[in-house]
Amino acid sequence: QRDWDLFLAYWIFELTGEVYDPGRQDSAFALRMNGYRDWLNLSSEIAVQSEPIAQRVDDFIACQHSRDTFARAKLGPRAREFDQQLREVLAPHATDGLLAYVVHTRIVWGSIRTTPFTAR
């Protein structure tokens, strides 16, 4: 996780100028990622995780390009550098070319507000 977080911190800052610090809920990145909450009357929230997943390193890397921040169009000529650095981060954690991991997901539901919440 530490290696992944360091990789994300470097590339998110390189591509967006935003500081990625998963331990800080007041960072610009965290505030943007949770901005949807201002538009919800929150009913409930749960955390779930997947069964263990096994995926080829190259497939995991390719999947990262489906994310807006890491889209090949945004990486441009740096796409190969991104892929190589990510391969170097992942390789020590792979067995026979496969990564094993679980996906942690937070499910939030509620009703949509017509105006955003503003703290006073």
Side-chain angles (χ1 to χ4, degrees):
Q1 187 64 51
R2 181 181 170 278
D3 294 343
W4 175 239
D5 285 340
L6 289 171
F7 176 85
L8 290 176
Y10 174 79
W11 280 99
I12 288 171
F13 185 79
E14 283 289 305
L15 299 170
T16 69
E18 291 182 1
V19 174
Y20 172 76
D21 183 353
R24 287 193 48 214
Q25 293 304 309
D26 64 339
S27 71
F29 182 82
L31 293 172
R32 184 170 60 83
M33 294 304 294
N34 289 301
Y36 69 90
R37 290 174 172 271
D38 292 344
W39 292 91
L40 276 183
N41 291 314
L42 188 64
S43 295
S44 194
E45 178 174 356
I46 61 171
V48 296
Q49 70 181 40
S50 71
E51 293 295 319
I53 296 169
Q55 186 176 31
R56 289 180 343 120
V57 169
D58 287 340
D59 291 339
F60 183 91
I61 293 169
C63 180
Q64 298 313 302
H65 296 298
S66 70
R67 301 174 189 280
D68 179 58
T69 301
F70 304 135
R72 289 190 187 280
K74 288 189 175 178
L75 287 164
R78 296 191 72 191
R80 286 173 52 175
E81 177 188 2
F82 176 94
D83 289 1
Q84 183 58 38
Q85 283 185 11
L86 185 50
R87 191 170 285 106
E88 290 170 6
V89 166
L90 298 174
H93 304 285
T95 303
D96 297 326
L98 290 175
L99 293 171
Y101 59 94
V102 295
V103 176
H104 297 266
T105 303
R106 186 181 65 231
I107 301 171
V108 177
W109 63 94
S111 61
I112 298 173
R113 291 187 180 137
T114 56
T115 58
F117 172 79
T118 49
R120 296 188 190 260

